[in-house]
Amino acid sequence: MSLLHVARRSPLLAATYRRLASTSSAPTTTSSDTASAAPRKPAAQASTPQSSCPPETLLKGLNYLKGQAPVLSLADDQYPDWLWTVLTPKEYPDDGPGGKAERVRRKKERQQAIKDRNFMSTQ
């Protein structure tokens, strides 16, 4: 067993212990639980959308067809609203054991374990 494998294992065990503690009959509240339970502002309300380039900037690499006009950037208000929230991570509501949030988290853990196993088999 390598150091990498042991280092990656400890967060998985910590997550398992947290899950077991959360399913126990006595609910406990910590400061981190109350901080995560606080309502968050959506990204659209937190700040106004700001693109990385000013309007009428030539966007190189987007026009790959011959004989076409160059692609220029538009003003921020001319883009659709959903564009500014594309890169925000999805947040699933905590709907208890067996819910959508737990299934997504467990799938990520399984995929990471497979990646770790594959990496270790190449060493």
Side-chain angles (χ1 to χ4, degrees):
M1 186 179 293
S2 72
L3 178 64
L4 178 66
H5 189 63
V6 172
R8 296 255 177 163
R9 180 183 283 186
S10 60
L12 182 63
L13 290 175
T16 305
Y17 293 142
R18 266 186 260 120
R19 186 177 32 198
L20 290 174
S22 68
T23 59
S24 67
S25 61
T28 58
T29 305
T30 62
S31 61
S32 64
D33 291 339
T34 56
S36 65
R40 296 183 184 181
K41 291 182 182 178
Q45 293 177 358
S47 65
T48 59
Q50 185 104 15
S51 62
S52 61
C53 58
E56 302 298 321
T57 302
L58 179 66
L59 301 174
K60 295 182 179 181
L62 294 181
N63 185 9
Y64 56 88
L65 300 174
K66 289 184 178 181
Q68 298 291 320
V71 178
L72 301 175
S73 66
L74 302 173
D76 289 346
D77 59 352
Q78 292 179 332
Y79 290 108
D81 292 333
W82 58 263
L83 181 67
W84 308 111
T85 60
V86 167
L87 296 178
T88 57
K90 248 186 200 177
E91 293 184 17
Y92 297 100
D94 187 18
D95 49 357
K100 177 75 172 173
E102 183 181 6
R103 284 183 283 153
V104 168
R105 182 186 51 77
R106 290 177 66 198
K107 181 177 181 178
K108 286 181 183 178
E109 287 176 1
R110 282 194 311 270
Q111 288 175 340
Q112 186 61 44
I114 290 169
K115 288 177 185 179
D116 291 343
R117 228 177 305 134
N118 290 343
F119 175 75
M120 294 310 293
S121 67
T122 61
Q123 300 302 313

